[in-house]
Amino acid sequence: MNRPRPILCIAERNANIRELLRREFGREGYGVLTAGSGAEVLMRLAGPVSVDALVLDAEIADPDGGSLTPLLTRLYPGLPVVLHVYPGFEAGDDRLVRVEKGGDFERLKGTVHRLLETGNGAA
Amino acid sequence: MTTATQVSGKKSRSRLGLRARVYLLLGGLLFVNMIGPIIMIWYAAMARDLYTTTADKDLAALTAAHELENALLNQKGYATYYYLSREPSWLLKLAESRRTFELWLERTRTELNAPEAAVLVEEIAAAYKRYAVAKDNVIDLYQQGRMESAKDQHWAVRDDFDGLRELCDRFKTFYRERMRRTSQLYLERTDLVMGVAVVGVVINATLGFFLAYVLVGQILDPIRRLAWGDHGKTVAVGLSDEVKAIGQKFRDLEKDVDQAHLDLEQSRDHLMQSEKLAMAGKLAAGVAHTIRNPLTSVKMRLFSLQRGLKLDPSQQEDFEVIAEEIGHIDTIVRNFLEFARPPKLTAQPVSLSAVVDTTLTLLKHRLESYNVAVTVDRSRPLPVLNADPDQLKEGLVNLVLNACEAMVEGGSIVIREETGVLEPHGPILAVRVIDTGPGIPPPLLERIFQPFFTTKGEGSGLGLAIVKRIVEEHGGWITAQSPEGRGASFTMVFPYEGERGWHRS
């Protein structure tokens, strides 16, 4: 029996990056939901499709990443969250898995994969 | 009681200002010195009046009394000579002497200045009139040859003569007494003037003393202190005159004020410039932040693109240049944002030696690609201090990469760890990065830590500025030296509060 494909929520304020990540993670076999704002993230998570992991742009707006992450931690304590963040940007909970935002998205993919496999995104 | 008196005395003295005290003392001196001449004028006028009274009138009256007496004696003598010789010439002389007597009597009348004297003169005139008539009768009797009657009359006339002389003596005594009183008055007034003069001298001396006290204690001494300073040090060496020294000091003060004014204007200009730069920095940081997101999108797309493209060598070169330049833009934006919005320090106990080791491990491959060999000069690991290791590591990375980029043909870097004591900071820790590159020209040394200053075509000009900011946020400072032809040396110095008692190694 095939394992159900994991569902990811890609929350990214830049539409082009969002679409790129959707495509790349889709190619990897993930089911991908996208969100362009904090409100959309909450809507996706509250929706009928169960999300297995969230890739969250630390600079997402409305509500911003800084206030969104504590909310997510409280509402969805078991949800793995990968914070996609520029170096030096201080946002989110230190306990969240952080991946540096850059041109190479393979690290992000690897981190998400490990997180879903082991529950720990550390390389 | 004494204290209360002193206190009240001080209070009353303090009620009068310095100017009022000086004016009061000067006014007192002027008053006393004016009183002297006024008294002298009064005294001279009084002496002149006394002299006029004594010499012109009293002495004249006394002389007149003498002359009257002489004239009387002459008349008696001329009459006696006539009785003895019967020569008519004695009668002529007698007549002349009588005219003389009458003239003196008339002069005396006109110059009389006392009622008592006037009464005496009228008595003399009346007695003389009686005496002259009686004397004429005796002469007539002698001329008629009635010798016995004449002798009898003659004795009677003698009594009139004595009475008349006595009146003249009384007149003389009156004026003598008057002259004596005048003399007494003169002496009394002279004594008074001398007394006033003595008092004036004492008051003058007292006022002069107080004026000197005020001038010295409250004007000259403060001027001296102002001129030479509170500690007696000469401010203007070689000037013995306090006023000149104060003038010099005042000119120096004016120069200082001018300089301070100039500095203030420069500071204001700098502040305005800084405010403009800060505003421009905020705007630029906003722009950089906005650019970073689409730039990341471009980088991701480029990364995605390179995986599936099959390019010929020239196309591959183009692609790599595009990727490299985008990477360069990304570095500039990242550096700029880091400089504009520095991250908060997360301090923890860390040894700079550990930071050095971590940095070199991190840069191992980069150093190899630059063909740079690094030597660590360390006698023992540096003591632990409270610092942000990530920030220090970033600073050290910047310094090492900066040195690598300066040594185009490769070279060597020495990282020297030092401890020491530097007054007034006390104990310090230092990490020195010394390269064998071409060095930094002296004119550029002062500018290399300024933001956006770069001599490299591809540099952001923020690397050294970020290092400087990181070091300063740790309470330290960074210096750069570049001895001509012997590379460059950057030294990060950090004050160290911990272990005491060690010195520069």
Side-chain angles (χ1 to χ4, degrees), chain A residues 12-14 16-17 20 23-24 27 59 84 86 90 101-106 109, chain B residues 289-290 292-297 299-301 303-304 307 330 334 341-344:
Chain A
E12 168 60 52
R13 63 172 175 154
N14 184 296
N16 290 324
I17 296 175
L20 173 71
R23 187 186 75 194
E24 290 297 323
R27 281 181 183 167
E59 294 184 22
H84 203 199
Y86 286 112
E90 290 176 15
K101 207 172 187 177
D104 182 359
F105 47 77
E106 289 300 333
K109 282 159 71 173
Chain B
H289 185 72
T290 310
R292 188 163 59 167
N293 225 279
L295 192 63
T296 306
S297 176
K299 282 165 67 184
M300 282 178 164
R301 296 287 174 167
F303 182 77
S304 171
R307 290 181 308 183
D330 188 50
R334 196 172 60 245
R341 297 170 182 172
K344 277 194 281 186

Side-chain angles (χ1 to χ4, degrees), chain B residues 467-488:
Chain B
V467 179
K468 183 171 187 281
R469 196 205 67 224
I470 289 171
V471 174
E472 286 178 349
E473 279 180 348
H474 283 83
W477 63 94
I478 185 167
T479 59
Q481 293 93 32
S482 183
E484 199 171 343
R486 287 192 288 157

Side-chain angles (χ1 to χ4, degrees), chain B residues 44-55:
Chain B
M46 183 269 296
R48 188 191 59 196
D49 289 347
L50 286 175
Y51 178 80
T52 307
T53 307
T54 306

Side-chain angles (χ1 to χ4, degrees), chain B residues 53 178 203 273 310:
Chain B
T53 307
R178 190 177 156 95
I203 292 174
Q273 193 66 19
K310 296 199 182 297

Side-chain angles (χ1 to χ4, degrees), chain B residues 31-51:
Chain B
F31 176 73
V32 171
N33 282 297
M34 286 301 290
I35 283 292
I38 288 169
I39 288 175
M40 286 310 294
I41 290 168
W42 168 78
Y43 177 73
M46 183 269 296
R48 188 191 59 196
D49 289 347
L50 286 175
Y51 178 80

Side-chain angles (χ1 to χ4, degrees), chain B residues 223-224 226-228 235-253:
Chain B
I223 285 175
R224 187 181 295 114
L226 200 61
W228 308 127
V235 174
V237 178
L239 289 177
S240 57
D241 188 337
E242 286 92 344
V243 175
K244 280 184 186 170
I246 286 177
Q248 182 65 45
K249 202 169 182 178
F250 186 73
R251 283 191 290 277
D252 291 346
L253 203 63

Side-chain angles (χ1 to χ4, degrees), chain B residues 216-463:
Chain B
V216 171
Q218 295 179 20
I219 297 175
L220 294 179
D221 277 354
I223 285 175
R224 187 181 295 114
R225 282 198 295 277
L226 200 61
W228 308 127
D230 284 340
H231 305 295
K233 289 179 181 171
T234 53
V235 174
V237 178
L239 289 177
S240 57
D241 188 337
E242 286 92 344
V243 175
K244 280 184 186 170
I246 286 177
Q248 182 65 45
K249 202 169 182 178
F250 186 73
R251 283 191 290 277
D252 291 346
L253 203 63
E254 275 185 327
K255 282 182 191 168
D256 290 348
V257 168
D258 288 345
Q259 187 60 44
H261 188 68
L262 201 64
D263 291 347
L264 196 65
E265 280 188 350
Q266 284 178 347
S267 298
R268 195 176 57 193
D269 291 345
H270 286 159
L271 187 65
M272 286 173 69
Q273 193 66 19
S274 300
E275 283 175 352
K276 282 180 186 171
L277 280 174
M279 181 61 73
K282 276 185 184 175
L283 288 170
V287 170
H289 185 72
T290 310
I291 286 171
R292 188 163 59 167
N293 225 279
L295 192 63
T296 306
S297 176
V298 170
K299 282 165 67 184
M300 282 178 164
R301 296 287 174 167
L302 211 59
F303 182 77
S304 171
L305 198 60
Q306 76 170 356
R307 290 181 308 183
L309 282 178
K310 296 199 182 297
L311 303 171
D312 61 35
S314 62
Q315 286 173 326
Q316 183 64 32
E317 186 189 338
D318 292 346
F319 189 88
E320 283 173 1
V321 168
I322 290 168
E324 190 180 319
E325 292 298 352
I326 286 173
H328 185 207
I329 294 170
D330 188 50
T331 305
I332 292 172
V333 169
R334 196 172 60 245
N335 280 348
F336 182 79
L337 282 171
E338 189 185 337
F339 185 76
R341 297 170 182 172
K344 277 194 281 186
L345 289 184
T346 310
Q348 62 187 71
V350 63
S351 167
L352 285 173
S353 298
V355 172
V356 170
D357 293 341
T358 311
T359 304
L360 293 180
T361 305
L362 190 72
L363 292 176
K364 186 180 175 191
H365 298 295
R366 299 280 295 273
L367 291 167
E368 284 171 3
S369 68
Y370 279 114
N371 191 25
V372 170
V374 177
T375 311
V376 177
D377 181 0
R378 175 188 298 157
S379 56
R380 60 170 179 160
L382 291 174
V384 170
L385 78 165
N386 213 30
D388 185 332
D390 289 335
Q391 291 282 297
L392 292 179
K393 188 171 67 187
E394 185 184 344
L396 196 57
V397 165
N398 280 353
L399 286 183
V400 172
L401 291 182
N402 195 58
C404 290
E405 285 163 6
M407 296 183 288
V408 182
E409 303 294 327
S412 64
I413 292 174
V414 175
I415 298 180
R416 183 172 296 152
E417 298 176 1
E418 296 175 353
T419 58
V421 176
L422 188 66
E423 295 303 335
H425 307 284
I428 53 157
L429 305 176
V431 175
R432 209 181 286 267
V433 178
I434 306 161
D435 65 47
T436 55
I440 305 163
L444 302 185
L445 265 178
E446 291 180 359
R447 301 175 58 199
I448 53 173
F449 293 110
Q450 290 175 2
F452 307 111
F453 177 78
T454 179
T455 57
K456 295 174 285 189
E458 296 177 351
S460 66
L462 289 168

